[in-house]
Amino acid sequence: LEEYKNISESLSNINSYDEWIILYEKMTYWELELESLNDQAMFDIFKNQMKEANSKFSSFIANNYSYWIKDKKNQFLLSNNIFKKKIYPFLKDNQPCILLLIDNLRLDQWKAISPLVQKYFDIVEDLCYFSILPSATQYSRNSFFSGLTPKQIQDQLPQWWKKDDEDGGKNLYESNFLEFQLKKFNYKLKYSYNKITSISEGQKLIKNINKFKSENLSVIVYNFVDMMSHAKTEMEIIKELAPDNKAYRSLTLSWFKNSPLFEFIQLVSKEKLKLIITTDHGTINVEKPIEIRGKKETSSNLRYKSGRSMSYDEKKVVEVKNLDEYELPKSFMDSSFIFAKDNDYFIYKNNFNHFAKLYNNTFQHGGISMEEMIIPFATFTPKN
């Protein structure tokens, strides 16, 4: 309760990139601490404070994000500069390193599995950085690997950029983006790119450990957490297993303990390889549907929308009409973006009640919240 008062005072004065990270780390710590108490009243107090914090956070992002994303000095750690500022410097001793990007990994989930990793590694750095907007895979992960903003990708590498309304996978060129970034900065590394979307592929990692020992950088994108969160909208059993943040953390921890990924991490330590663990964006449990109308090419994501001639309640969204300010790509001359705040999610007027019920209490990403945007990044060396 004393800390609750301190956080409330902080919320009235908070005004910087670093202060928001400190606050979110503090609130994540208390969420994990309170989980061990069987005190619903105390947890409800915390939940309301988290909602208040996210409301102020969305206002802060609306007022500051355009400055961050255009900052030429790279003062702020974002998806498009994390490689240059944190990953490459960690590789300079030429010791083989595994870069593990676990898709859709929130800070609280990372704090749940981190103690297991630290049994086998010495931690060098454990920090947070900000996902770019939209905090969705197509944008944040492509930006992570290319070292570019979404607008720069569309301008400089249009052959690998797909618009929201175009058919086909939006993350098919991550290895191309990685190669582009390595060449751009003249990073002369022996590297590989590996994407894991199934248990069998995860098991192959273990068999390929000798290959990774001969590389400066082995990039591994592990998609399981993302599949688990999306499956929650489609599989009733997942919905029952993960109805809230506490259960979602527990499910993540249970999966991790028994996964080929954890077995692989132990092997990485045994082989004396360095390790980086991070993600591209987080996720938030949505509770409140917002009605939206738009043309058929409007994007389908529940936490952000891009398109033209969209109608919505302007008070409930962060609206971006000048896309250059946010370094966002244009699908049409009159394109705009809107981002959901708090625990809101967008539903079209047609069959509103049906889809509102379908997606209520599911984990989504792409919008503006601490859970989606403030994400973990940690570097490790193997224990002697």
Side-chain angles (χ1 to χ4, degrees), residues 47-48 50-52 54-55 58 106 245 283-290 302-303 316 340-346 359-364 368-369 371-372:
K47 193 174 179 183
N48 287 332
M50 182 66 95
K51 285 184 177 180
E52 180 192 357
N54 260 328
S55 181
S58 59
R106 281 193 337 194
N245 290 344
T283 183
I284 190 167
N285 201 337
V286 296
E287 298 174 350
K288 190 177 171 188
I290 296 176
L302 298 183
R303 288 282 292 169
K316 295 180 179 179
K341 307 183 288 186
D342 307 328
N343 296 81
D344 299 345
Y345 60 108
F346 296 123
Y359 290 112
N360 188 53
N361 195 34
T362 62
F363 290 93
Q364 303 295 335
I368 299 176
S369 69
E371 293 93 324
E372 289 163 292

Side-chain angles (χ1 to χ4, degrees), residues 117-129:
V117 178
Q118 290 183 57
K119 286 181 180 178
Y120 301 93
F121 288 87
D122 292 323
I123 195 154
V124 178
E125 199 168 30
D126 190 1
L127 54 83
C128 288
Y129 77 102

Side-chain angles (χ1 to χ4, degrees), residues 224-244 247-248 251-252 255 361-363:
F224 184 82
V225 177
D226 191 52
M227 289 188 287
M228 183 169 71
S229 67
H230 287 302
K232 191 173 181 297
T233 62
E234 296 159 8
M235 295 168 57
E236 283 304 313
I237 187 165
I238 298 289
K239 210 164 184 176
E240 288 179 21
L241 285 170
D244 54 31
Y248 194 31
L251 187 60
T252 304
W255 158 73
N361 195 34
T362 62
F363 290 93

Side-chain angles (χ1 to χ4, degrees), residues 157-370:
L157 305 168
Q159 70 274 28
W160 297 329
W161 180 259
K162 276 192 177 288
K163 298 173 185 175
D164 271 317
D165 60 306
E166 288 183 310
D167 292 332
K170 306 294 194 294
N171 286 82
L172 300 178
Y173 301 103
E174 291 161 9
S175 60
N176 303 84
F177 287 136
L178 176 61
E179 183 181 11
F180 167 84
Q181 180 166 201
L182 294 176
K183 284 181 178 176
K184 178 183 176 182
F185 294 113
N186 200 26
Y187 297 157
K188 293 175 180 173
L189 302 171
K190 185 179 180 185
Y191 74 96
S192 68
Y193 171 85
N194 312 268
K195 184 180 281 190
I196 308 302
T197 57
S198 67
I199 290 177
S200 61
E201 289 174 347
Q203 290 165 341
K204 284 179 186 174
L205 285 179
I206 296 160
K207 296 175 183 175
N208 287 337
I209 193 68
N210 285 330
K211 182 188 91 162
F212 300 139
K213 284 161 62 178
S214 66
E215 296 172 346
N216 303 108
L217 177 65
S218 306
V219 175
I220 298 167
V221 174
Y222 215 97
N223 264 4
F224 184 82
V225 177
D226 191 52
M227 289 188 287
M228 183 169 71
S229 67
H230 287 302
K232 191 173 181 297
T233 62
E234 296 159 8
M235 295 168 57
E236 283 304 313
I237 187 165
I238 298 289
K239 210 164 184 176
E240 288 179 21
L241 285 170
D244 54 31
N245 290 344
K246 179 181 177 181
Y248 194 31
R249 280 192 298 275
S250 177
L251 187 60
T252 304
L253 179 59
S254 177
W255 158 73
F256 183 75
K257 281 180 180 176
N258 299 286
S259 69
L261 178 58
F262 185 38
E263 190 178 342
F264 174 69
I265 286 171
Q266 293 172 60
L267 190 57
V268 168
S269 173
K270 184 180 176 184
E271 297 293 345
K272 302 300 180 187
L273 310 184
K274 295 199 298 185
L275 178 66
I276 301 169
I277 297 180
T278 189
T279 188
D280 46 6
H281 57 75
T283 183
I284 190 167
N285 201 337
V286 296
E287 298 174 350
K288 190 177 171 188
I290 296 176
E291 185 178 299
I292 181 175
R293 300 181 191 185
K295 294 181 179 291
K296 64 179 181 180
E297 67 268 8
T298 304
S299 60
S300 60
N301 187 287
L302 298 183
R303 288 282 292 169
Y304 81 89
K305 294 291 181 187
S306 66
R308 51 185 176 165
S309 303
M310 296 183 289
S311 62
Y312 43 83
D313 185 341
E314 294 175 13
K315 295 176 185 174
K316 295 180 179 179
V317 306
V318 172
E319 183 181 51
V320 182
K321 291 194 172 175
N322 180 356
L323 303 193
D324 290 348
E325 278 191 14
Y326 276 48
E327 285 287 305
L328 291 168
K330 282 185 180 176
S331 296
F332 307 96
M333 286 301 294
D334 56 348
S335 285
S336 63
F337 275 73
I338 56 171
F339 298 98
K341 307 183 288 186
D342 307 328
N343 296 81
D344 299 345
Y345 60 108
F346 296 123
I347 297 291
Y348 292 114
K349 186 177 181 182
N350 295 345
N351 293 321
F352 181 89
N353 291 333
H354 168 74
F355 287 108
K357 184 178 179 183
L358 177 67
Y359 290 112
N360 188 53
N361 195 34
T362 62
F363 290 93
Q364 303 295 335
H365 53 80
I368 299 176
S369 69
M370 295 184 294

